[in-house]
Amino acid sequence: MPEIKVNDLTHTFGKGSPNALTVLEGIDLTFETGSFNTIIGTSGCGKSTLLKMMAGLFDPSDGEMTLDGTVIKGTDRRRGMVFQQDAVFPWMTVAKNISYGPRLRGASKSDQREIETKWAKMVGLTGFEDRWPRELSGGMRKRVDIGRVYANDPDVLLMDEPFGALDAQTKERMQSDLLETWSTTKKTVVFVTHDIEEAIFLSDNIIVLSSRPGRVHHIEKVTLPRPRSNEMRLTEEFLEIKRRLWGMLDH
Amino acid sequence: MKVVDILSSRRLQLGVLSIAAVFLVYMWITNQPDNNPALLPPISDIVASFFTNLNSGNLLSALGASLFRITMGFFIGTTLALIVGCMVGWYKTIEYLVDPLIEAVRPIPPLAYIPIIIIWFGIDEFSRVLIITIACFMVCVVNVIAGMKNVPQVYVDAASTMGASRFQVFRTVAIPAATPFIITGYRIALGAAWTTLVASELLAAQNGLGFLLQEGRRYFATDQVMMVIVIIGGCAFIMDRIFRRIQAYLMQWSEARE
Ligand SMILES: Nc1ncnc2c1ncn2[C@@H]1O[C@H](COP(=O)(O)OP(=O)(O)OP(=O)(O)O)[C@@H](O)[C@H]1O
Ligand SMILES: [Mg+2]
């Protein structure tokens, strides 16, 4: 069961050098199995850094993280990540991008086809399977990115501002779709965003990080019932949380 | 598609125009009464020389010899460059080991090796191919290394979080991401191959295009010299065109398409 624990984690870039930069300090967090967690915080407070360390791309300078009790070291397909930047491979068609992970593990041609069709549909890119990424809009490429990570079927989904580049309508649709997919698969999700409303709409827990060095400033439990609908965005409970969080992010 | 068509045809027209202009100016100069045909042979002489050499078989055997050397040198040199470049660019240990060596040797013009190669291996086919190989290797390997080092980190990260092994990342991410650099390296190597070919044949050969040039100089047959220059230009041009085709095919995915 994919439960992630972060134990007293501190990260300093260029530790020991004169321009060392501590971005995260004393982070203690637990992401329960199957929970949807969102991290918010001002730009540069270390959200991406934290996510990348959870993905195993580099080690924290102090402390550790565990997945089901095993210390996270190095990357693993169980921990999938949607990056803040565009990470779609430009030299592969949309379909080949989507089936990249299964192809690494030698999926058969027919399995590949099935996965490509299924996830292209899920992220609304049916009909674009044979296009090159350069022929897509920024938002469409982001959806390829997301579909590719879903198709790889990780236990833990790390998502770094995946909907940041999308227009309001697409964004709301993608949020609902994400919740739907998540509710059927029950993966543990750690999601990063700048958008407070998005955080409330999606999450069980919202972790507010303080500015650099990032510390856990507050953890908000969102008890809005599930499944969530867009109408809930206007309820008093929702707006109440929004006001509270808004005050915490030092604007 | 329309715009591209118009653009390329405009490109063709202008290209033909500039070549025609040079041609006409040359004709005009060689038609002046005080022109010395021994220095600037009229085009008719150059064409005549072409047919003389064609009929005697000299031209074809020279072309054959040169193309053989170019192909061998280019193929061996770039293949080695691809292998070495990938290893150096991808594996830190190998980079630290080999990179200083490459950096130290790189500024030496390949032609500087000619004397030592002649001393070691004599003036034979192997030596000439070796010089071209060295030249192709040197200019190509630098590009391959640069390509490998410029693979965007986010692609590497994305692949490894999806479970790719280091070697799978190399094969499915690094190589394709480095393709633009690698192709550029191959094209520059082709240019270097021609340069060193002619130079090595000028110095030490009994056949080949460079030898024909040298022979023309010795007998003051300027028309022959001019003819060979045009042939070399033509061959290099055709090869570069073929290369661009390959490049366009391999780079279909890229935004920058010439
Ligand atoms: N590889 C690195 N080397 C040195 N410093 C880094 C590196 N990566 C990030 N930083 C620094 O760490 C800090 C946190 O970066 P990070 O990308 O985690 O911020 P973030 O919270 O994701 O911000 P944003 O919301 O703008 O994406 C920044 O000040 C950044 O300059
Ligand atoms: Mg970030």
Side-chain angles (χ1 to χ4, degrees):
Chain A
M1 283 291 102
E3 183 188 62
I4 302 181
K5 281 200 155 116
V6 180
N7 303 324
D8 195 20
L9 175 142
T10 293
H11 190 70
T12 306
F13 281 112
K15 200 177 182 184
S17 81
N19 46 7
L21 182 70
T22 301
V23 284
L24 294 163
E25 201 166 66
I27 307 277
D28 270 305
L29 288 167
T30 300
F31 303 108
E32 281 161 31
T33 301
S35 62
F36 200 117
N37 309 274
T38 296
I39 302 176
I40 59 175
T42 47
S43 181
C45 74
K47 304 181 296 294
S48 298
T49 307
L50 183 61
L51 231 55
K52 282 183 189 166
M53 288 192 291
M54 289 165 109
L57 291 168
F58 51 89
D59 295 333
S61 40
D62 275 298
E64 60 175 29
M65 294 183 255
T66 59
L67 174 61
D68 305 335
T70 320
V71 175
I72 291 173
K73 196 138 184 69
T75 51
D76 187 326
R77 67 164 286 229
R78 289 187 64 197
R79 286 169 274 120
M81 176 148 178
V82 178
F83 291 82
Q84 191 169 359
Q85 306 100 303
D86 186 347
V88 176
F89 301 142
W91 55 86
M92 289 180 192
T93 59
V94 169
K96 294 293 170 206
N97 263 289
I98 289 176
S99 60
Y100 178 76
R103 277 189 293 128
L104 285 177
R105 293 180 292 282
S108 71
K109 279 267 180 295
S110 63
D111 284 354
Q112 285 176 36
R113 274 258 147 265
E114 196 178 308
I115 289 167
E116 287 162 6
T117 316
K118 177 181 167 193
W119 289 106
K121 181 155 177 282
M122 279 295 229
V123 292
L125 287 173
T126 303
F128 289 91
E129 286 95 335
D130 295 325
R131 298 296 186 94
W132 297 108
R134 71 177 154 82
E135 300 172 295
L136 307 183
S137 72
M140 289 162 94
R141 274 209 293 273
K142 204 70 226 179
R143 285 185 270 156
V144 176
D145 230 334
I146 294 168
R148 183 174 66 175
V149 175
Y150 283 161
N152 200 38
D153 196 24
D155 296 337
V156 177
L157 260 179
L158 308 167
M159 306 179 86
D160 197 349
E161 302 191 34
F163 305 147
L166 303 180
D167 63 282
Q169 285 90 341
T170 315
K171 195 170 180 171
E172 287 187 8
R173 221 205 74 225
M174 297 285 293
Q175 290 167 354
S176 301
D177 288 355
L178 173 61
L179 282 188
E180 206 177 300
T181 318
W182 169 75
S183 65
T184 56
T185 55
K186 281 292 170 192
K187 297 179 192 307
T188 309
V189 179
V190 183
F191 191 98
V192 166
T193 183
H194 277 128
D195 181 339
I196 297 176
E197 185 169 320
E198 176 170 76
I200 304 168
F201 182 71
L202 297 172
S203 318
D204 297 318
N205 305 296
I206 299 173
I207 294 115
V208 184
L209 292 185
S210 61
S211 312
R212 222 172 36 230
R215 292 197 186 88
V216 179
H217 177 69
H218 174 77
I219 297 178
E220 179 81 31
K221 296 244 178 255
V222 183
T223 50
L224 291 167
R226 292 189 189 271
R228 304 231 169 119
S229 64
N230 278 320
E231 292 75 56
M232 286 183 195
R233 293 176 196 262
L234 297 169
T235 60
E236 195 44 48
E237 190 182 353
F238 194 102
L239 295 173
E240 171 68 35
I241 302 174
K242 192 169 173 180
R243 266 193 293 276
R244 193 161 50 238
L245 293 179
W246 198 79
M248 276 175 213
L249 289 181
D250 18 298
H251 285 272
Chain B
M1 212 50 219
K2 265 260 157 59
V3 180
V4 174
D5 282 345
I6 294 164
L7 215 77
S8 68
S9 78
R10 206 169 91 92
R11 193 173 181 165
L12 191 73
Q13 288 161 8
L14 291 177
V16 169
L17 191 72
S18 73
I19 291 178
V22 171
F23 199 75
L24 285 176
V25 169
Y26 188 86
M27 289 238 292
W28 180 75
I29 296 174
T30 49
N31 274 333
Q32 295 299 306
D34 57 348
N35 177 57
N36 180 356
L39 293 181
L40 278 186
I43 287 175
S44 56
D45 285 8
I46 300 177
V47 173
S49 163
F50 172 75
F51 282 110
T52 315
N53 280 291
L54 192 67
N55 291 333
S56 70
N58 281 350
L59 185 58
L60 284 186
S61 73
L63 200 60
S66 290
L67 286 181
F68 172 78
R69 289 166 196 154
I70 283 256
T71 315
M72 292 295 283
F74 176 76
F75 185 74
I76 301 171
T78 49
T79 306
L80 285 176
L82 189 61
I83 297 169
V84 173
C86 283
M87 308 266 273
V88 173
W90 196 239
Y91 296 101
K92 276 275 173 292
T93 324
I94 302 180
E95 180 193 344
Y96 296 155
L97 216 66
V98 180
D99 205 41
L101 210 64
I102 291 177
E103 283 305 308
V105 174
R106 199 165 62 89
I108 305 170
L111 298 183
Y113 297 112
I114 291 181
I116 195 73
I117 287 175
I118 291 177
I119 291 172
W120 284 346
F121 304 108
I123 302 174
D124 68 358
E125 204 58 22
F126 178 78
S127 305
R128 285 184 286 267
V129 172
L130 183 60
I131 292 165
I132 300 170
T133 305
I134 294 175
C136 289
F137 175 82
M138 280 304 166
V139 294
C140 190
V141 78
V142 184
N143 274 276
V144 179
I145 295 174
M148 291 311 243
K149 290 185 156 293
N150 278 290
V151 177
Q153 187 63 37
V154 69
Y155 297 146
V156 176
D157 288 351
S160 42
T161 52
M162 279 183 280
S165 67
R166 183 92 179 125
F167 179 71
Q168 281 176 319
V169 176
F170 170 76
R171 190 170 56 79
T172 61
V173 173
I175 293 280
T179 306
F181 282 86
I182 296 176
I183 293 178
T184 306
Y186 271 67
R187 270 177 70 184
I188 300 175
L190 196 58
W194 279 101
T195 314
T196 37
L197 170 85
V198 174
S200 70
E201 286 178 344
L202 277 177
L203 282 175
Q206 290 77 43
N207 56 5
L209 294 171
F211 173 75
L212 274 193
L213 279 176
Q214 190 71 331
E215 191 188 56
R217 183 192 65 84
R218 212 178 297 134
Y219 300 114
F220 222 74
T222 325
D223 47 357
Q224 180 171 329
V225 174
M226 287 291 193
M227 183 270 292
V228 176
I229 289 175
V230 173
I231 296 276
I232 292 175
C235 287
F237 177 78
I238 291 170
M239 285 191 175
D240 196 60
R241 283 286 130 169
I242 295 173
F243 235 91
R244 282 186 196 216
R245 281 290 167 81
I246 299 172
Q247 179 170 21
Y249 173 74
L250 288 176
M251 299 293 302
Q252 290 171 70
W253 53 270
S254 165
E255 316 241 6
R257 309 179 63 188
E258 283 296 314

